[in-house]
Structure formats: structure tokens, C-alpha cells
């Protein structure tokens, strides 16, 4: 497990190109990503270190035995088969903390912006609530029917060594907040997220965290994973088949 810089030590956050490379090379590793505003100007923690983490990603499904067993469980495989997935592969996984009071807002987006496939419609998010997700601690909000309108923008990887390491093509349209429907769920619930559905979550201002394990599947049969995506399979970790 690659713990990166700073957790439990007074090293402070990575900066600039180091931070970009730490993210861009995390697809086949387990790495830690901090919330904003958890360090002072000297790199010291302003909150307890265990409360400073935004998420852990992006290969828990491959390198951690607990999350590997959950991802490839018989229940998960049966769910994928019931959905008609023929050759699903796991492309990434994350543990998201949504820390009390500081768990950041996630702006409206489509997962396919970051994980683009041709054709579209081949990406599926699996979102498992490990704690109750409420209106107060930052549950998901969706725009019903928004998965039918294509992808409004894409994040693509710039050539190696470039700064910044990624850029966006296109733009997010202005969306009326009244279109969003909240989806509070209890601990243990599983939410399936279409790759093109628009969703968001608010900042957590409550006293309770909102822990989640989430991963993305791609139907590999007849699908091209965009070579411009920030996340790419590697020789060390090709996208593993879900079915075992």
C-alpha cells in the first residue's frame, strides 16, 4: 500500500507537478488524497490526521483483500449478470470519507467526463453506503433522465510532462438546482450510477461522516476505453474481469 506523503507525518501536501503525477499514476495503486484546508502554511495538520483524508484510490479492488472480496463477491457478480453485463471489468475503486464539517462539495458532473468510453453507455458506478447518507452529511443528488443527453465535457490527459497534467474539453452547462433530486440512503444500500447521469453531493456540515466504497465497471465487450482518459490500464494492473 502506497501511503504517499503526509499521513501521520508533518510533510504537508504535495505541490505542483508532484501532486499531478501522484494523482495521474494512482490508477494501479492505493493512494491517499487530502481534503482542502487541512494544512496550515507550514504543512502542519489543522485537523486530526485521520480526519484529513478525502478519499483513498484508485486500486483498492486489486490490492486490498477486503475490498477485492467485496468487489468480486458472488452478490456483485450476480447483480452484473442480472444487468446483462457480458464481460465487465473493474476500472477503478475509491473509499470516500466525506468527513464531518469539512467533507467537500462534489459539483454536478457525469462520471463519463473522466472515464470516457466509445460507445457511451458502457460505464456503471457501484456506490455502497457504509454509513447512512443523509441530506445533512452529503447524500447524492441526481437529475432524473439526464443520462440520455450525452457527455457535455471531457477531462483528457495532456502529453507526458505537461503542466497541467489534464485539461477539460467542452464545458458543464448551467443547470437549475431544482432539477436535482436527493437520494438519502441507509447504511448498506447500493446505488447504481449510470456513466452519463448528472449527479452531485453537497458539503458535509454535519457532525457525522458519510463513508462510501465505490467502484466503476466497464462492459468490455465491443467497447473502446479512451486512450485520452487520465486513468489507463497498466502492465502491472490491466483492468481485471469482474467475473471470477
Amino acid at each position: 500500500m502506497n501511503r504517499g506523503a503526509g499521513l501521520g507525518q508533518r510533510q504537508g501536501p504535495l505541490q505542483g507537478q508532484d501532486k499531478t503525477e501522484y494523482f495521474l499514476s494512482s490508477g494501479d495503486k492505493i493512494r491517499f488524497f487530502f481534503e482542502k484546508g487541512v494544512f496550515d502554511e507550514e504543512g502542519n495538520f489543522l485537523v486530526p490526521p485521520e480526519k484529513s483524508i478525502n478519499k483513498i484510490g484508485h486500486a483498492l479492488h486489486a490490492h486490498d483483500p477486503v475490498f477485492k472480496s467485496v468487489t468480486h463477491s458472488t452478490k456483485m457478480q450476480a447483480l452484473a449478470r442480472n444487468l446483462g453485463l457480458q464481460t465487465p471489468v473493474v476500472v477503478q475503486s475509491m473509499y470516500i470519507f466525506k468527513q464531518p464539517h469539512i467533507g467537500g462539495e462534489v459539483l454536478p458532473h457525469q462520471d463519463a467526463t473522466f472515464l470516457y468510453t466509445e460507445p457511451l453507455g458502457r460505464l456503471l458506478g457501484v456506490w455502497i453506503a457504509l454509513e447512512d447518507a443523509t441530506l445533512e452529511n452529503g447524500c447524492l443528488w441526481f437529475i432524473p433522465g439526464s443520462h440520455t443527453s450525452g457527455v457535455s465535457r471531457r477531462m483528457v490527459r495532456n502529453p507526458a510532462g505537461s503542466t497541467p497534467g489534464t485539461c477539460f474539453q467542452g464545458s458543464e452547462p448551467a443547470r437549475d438546482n431544482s432539477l436535482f433530486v436527493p437520494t438519502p440512503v441507509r447504511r448498506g444500500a447500493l446505488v447504481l450510477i449510470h456513466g452519463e447521469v448528472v449527479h452531485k453531493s453537497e458539503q458535509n456540515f454535519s457532525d457525522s461522516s458519510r463513508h462510501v466504497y465505490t467502484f466503476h465497471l466497464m462492459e468490455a465487450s465491443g467497447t473502446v476505453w479512451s486512450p485520452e482518459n487520465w486513468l489507463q490500464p497498466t502492465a502491472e494492473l490491466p483492468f481485471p474481469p469482474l467475473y471470477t
Side-chain angles (χ1 to χ4, degrees), residues 33-44:
F33 300 88
F34 293 106
E35 285 286 357
K36 294 180 180 179
V38 298
F39 295 101
D40 66 17
E41 293 180 356
E42 297 178 352
N44 300 311

Side-chain angles (χ1 to χ4, degrees), residues 74-86 88 124 192 217 219 242-243:
T74 54
K75 286 185 177 180
M76 206 63 66
Q77 293 187 48
L79 173 62
R81 288 192 170 95
N82 287 337
L83 292 171
L85 300 181
Q86 299 176 6
L124 178 68
L192 296 176
L217 300 174
E219 172 56 74
L242 176 69
Y243 299 148

Side-chain angles (χ1 to χ4, degrees), residues 126-138:
V126 180
W127 193 94
I128 303 171
L130 304 179
E131 299 177 314
D132 292 351
T134 67
L135 291 173
E136 294 74 28
N137 71 4

Side-chain angles (χ1 to χ4, degrees), residues 139-205:
C139 69
L140 294 172
W141 295 65
F142 294 92
I143 297 182
S146 57
H147 64 290
T148 62
S149 300
V151 174
S152 57
R153 69 171 182 162
R154 289 182 56 193
M155 187 176 86
V156 301
R157 182 190 281 255
N158 284 327
S162 300
T163 302
T166 61
C167 66
F168 284 99
Q169 298 176 349
S171 61
E172 290 288 351
R175 298 184 177 98
D176 191 328
N177 274 334
S178 66
L179 297 174
F180 286 89
V181 176
T183 312
V185 295
R186 300 298 299 271
R187 181 180 68 177
L190 184 150
V191 180
L192 296 176
I193 304 176
H194 190 285
E196 286 112 76
V197 71
V198 178
H199 57 292
K200 67 174 184 175
S201 66
E202 304 292 345
Q203 182 170 343
N204 182 2
F205 291 106

